Amino acid sequence: MKPTHEIKRRRSRRIMVGKVPVGGDAPIAVQSMTNTETCDVPATVAQIQALEQAGADIVRVSVPTLEAAEAFGEIRKQVNVPLIADIHFDYRIALRVAELGVDCLRINPGNIGREDRVRAVVEAARERGIPMRIGVNAGSLEKDLQSKYGEPNAEALVESALRHVEILDRLDFHDFKVSLKSSEVFMAVEAYRRIATQIEQPLHLGITEAGALRSGTVKSAIGIGMLLADGIGDTIRISLAADPVEEVKVGFDILKSLHLRSRGINLVACPSCSRQQFDVIKTVNALEARLEDVRESLDVAVIGCVVNGPGEAREAHVGLTGGSPSLVFINGTPHHKVGEEQMLDDLERTIREQIERRRAAASKAEATSEAATKQPAETSG
C-alpha cells in the first residue's frame, strides 16, 4: 500500500558514527544499549551481536570505570556494529576509549570538570574523527536549573543542552548530536521541538525510562512518533525495561509505520471477530515468529473473513482472506486456496518464494547495470 503522506525531515548536519551516517538525508538510525555487565566481555559481545542481528545500526555501551574501558576495547575488537561509549564525569575514560576505537562518545562536556580536561577530550575526538552525543535527561538536571525552574520542564532541558553545546562551539567542535530525554511525553516533545530550531546538529530521540514492554512501547510510539511526524529526529532509541532486542524491533516498527524505513515484514492483520474463519491471532503470532529473520521489506495481509479480506489482500504483496478454504493473493491477484491445517506452512513458503524472486530480480538488474557500464562506447567509422 502506497503512503498517503510524506514526511519532510528537518535537515541537519551530517556526522558519521563509525560507518553509519547520522543526519542530513541519511536514514534514521535505530540504536539500543546493552544491559550486561561491561566487564563481562563474552556476555556483552553476545548481546551486541543479537542486537546487530535484529537490525540495530548503533549500540551504546556503559563505560563507568577505567576497568570497563579496557573491557570495551576487547568488545570493540569482536563486533562489527558501531559502538557508543556512555561516560559520565571521568574524562580519563573518554580518552582511553578514544584510543581503543570507540565510534562515538556520549559525554556531556559540562560535567567533566576543568577546561583543560574538556579540551583534552575534544582534541582526542577531533584527532580521531569521533563524534559526541550531548545527552540531557530530566532526571539529572543541574542543581541551579532545578532551583531556577522548580521542577524539570522543556525550557530547563533546552537550557541545559545549550550550555554543553556552547562549550563545544567555543572549542570549534561541531560533530555532535543532542538528546533531551524525559519520561514525560509532552515535556520531551516540546524540548525537542524547541531545540530543533536552535541548532544544526542531528537529534537523537528517546522517551527515557518509558516502562515495561507494552506500556513503554506505547509511550515511545506516541512521543517519538509525534516528533518523527514533524520531521524531527535522526536516530532513535526505545527505552524499555525488557530485552534490548525488543527495543530494536519496536524502533523499526515505529519507522515502518511512518514510511521512514522499511525492514522486514510489514504485517497487516485483523484483530479477529466472530466472522473469522480461522484462528487469526494464533496464525499471525506464529507467522511473525517464523519470519523474524527476514530483512527485506514485504507487505503481508492476514484477514480472517471475506468482508474486509479481499480488499486488504489485494493491496499486499502476499495476502490471505478467510474462507472455506481461505484464498491467497499474490501481488493483488488470487493465486491459490489453502485449508487451515496447511495455512501457516503455505503462507511462510509463499512469502519466502516472493522474497527469493525479488532477490533474483534485483541481482539480475544489478548485473545488467554493471554490464551496461562496461560496454565500450560505439565509434563512428
Side-chain angles (χ1 to χ4, degrees):
M1 186 177 294
K2 294 181 180 179
T4 58
H5 176 74
E6 183 176 354
I7 293 172
K8 184 177 181 181
R9 291 179 59 196
R10 163 185 175 264
R11 291 302 296 269
S12 58
R13 177 188 180 92
R14 175 174 285 197
I15 62 174
M16 294 297 297
V17 179
K19 61 187 177 183
V20 175
V22 172
D25 59 356
I28 295 169
V30 176
Q31 67 180 67
S32 183
M33 185 174 183
T34 57
N35 60 14
T36 53
E37 172 60 49
T38 302
C39 289
D40 186 343
V41 173
T44 304
V45 167
Q47 190 170 76
I48 292 170
Q49 290 172 339
L51 289 168
E52 186 176 14
Q53 182 64 31
D57 300 297
I58 301 167
V59 175
R60 182 156 53 111
V61 178
S62 180
V63 188
T65 64
L66 286 169
E67 181 185 6
E70 297 305 318
F72 179 90
E74 292 303 310
I75 294 164
R76 172 67 284 174
K77 296 174 186 176
Q78 298 181 46
V79 300
N80 297 315
V81 67
L83 298 182
I84 299 174
D86 190 86
I87 300 164
H88 296 276
F89 309 120
D90 192 340
Y91 82 108
R92 297 172 300 166
I93 299 173
L95 295 178
R96 184 58 180 144
V97 295
E99 294 172 345
L100 294 170
V102 72
D103 297 292
C104 182
L105 294 169
R106 192 282 195 193
I107 186 166
N108 290 345
N111 294 345
I112 57 176
R114 301 191 310 258
E115 178 81 12
D116 61 325
R117 295 178 176 179
V118 176
R119 187 178 295 277
V121 172
V122 168
E123 290 308 317
R126 194 196 316 275
E127 180 182 337
R128 295 174 173 83
I130 302 168
M132 295 186 188
R133 171 158 79 87
I134 292 171
V136 174
N137 191 302
S140 56
L141 285 169
E142 295 91 329
K143 290 182 179 179
D144 67 309
L145 291 179
Q146 294 180 36
S147 298
K148 177 179 178 179
Y149 291 100
E151 60 183 9
N153 58 28
E155 292 92 335
L157 289 173
V158 171
E159 185 171 339
S160 177
L162 291 178
R163 287 182 179 182
H164 300 295
V165 169
E166 191 276 330
I167 294 171
L168 295 182
D169 281 346
R170 190 172 70 246
L171 296 173
D172 196 29
F173 187 87
H174 307 289
D175 289 343
F176 60 90
K177 53 181 176 171
V178 177
S179 65
L180 306 93
K181 294 186 178 183
S182 169
S183 59
E184 209 291 312
V185 169
F186 288 106
M187 186 192 306
V189 169
E190 183 182 353
Y192 277 110
R193 284 173 174 168
R194 284 172 178 261
I195 205 165
T197 64
Q198 299 184 54
I199 63 172
E200 65 171 359
Q201 276 73 21
L203 294 175
H204 169 68
L205 304 186
I207 305 298
T208 193
E209 294 107 22
L213 180 58
R214 178 179 57 83
S215 59
T217 294
V218 171
K219 188 182 288 188
S220 296
I222 292 171
I224 293 174
M226 290 169 70
L227 291 164
L228 292 173
D230 284 346
I232 295 170
D234 301 284
T235 70
I236 64 172
R237 190 250 173 131
I238 313 302
S239 298
L240 301 176
D243 184 337
V245 168
E246 297 297 330
E247 297 185 350
V248 177
K249 293 178 183 178
V250 172
F252 274 103
D253 284 342
I254 291 172
L255 294 177
K256 195 186 304 180
S257 69
L258 294 169
H259 304 290
L260 289 167
R261 280 188 75 173
S262 57
R263 183 187 189 279
I265 301 299
N266 178 33
L267 191 56
V268 176
C270 67
S272 80
C273 68
S274 60
R275 294 195 307 264
Q276 69 178 355
Q277 295 177 293
F278 61 89
D279 190 333
V280 174
I281 294 173
K282 179 181 177 182
T283 301
V284 168
N285 287 337
L287 187 64
E288 191 171 51
R290 288 190 181 198
L291 298 172
E292 280 193 343
D293 64 299
V294 175
R295 298 192 175 192
E296 290 83 356
S297 175
L298 197 78
D299 294 335
V300 176
V302 179
I303 312 297
C305 74
V306 295
V307 176
N308 299 321
E312 292 285 359
R314 286 192 181 95
E315 293 292 331
H317 297 115
V318 176
L320 174 74
T321 179
S324 299
S326 296
L327 178 61
V328 176
F329 288 74
I330 297 180
N331 295 320
T333 302
H335 190 268
H336 64 273
K337 293 183 177 181
V338 62
E340 186 167 0
E341 290 185 1
Q342 298 80 35
M343 184 180 293
L344 189 58
D345 289 339
D346 182 89
L347 271 176
E348 182 184 6
R349 182 173 59 254
T350 302
I351 290 166
R352 292 190 183 278
E353 286 174 353
Q354 293 304 304
I355 290 168
E356 286 303 319
R357 286 193 179 98
R358 286 180 160 216
R359 288 175 180 168
S363 296
K364 183 177 180 180
E366 184 178 354
T368 301
S369 177
E370 289 181 359
T373 58
K374 293 177 181 178
Q375 187 73 21
E378 291 186 8
T379 57
S380 59

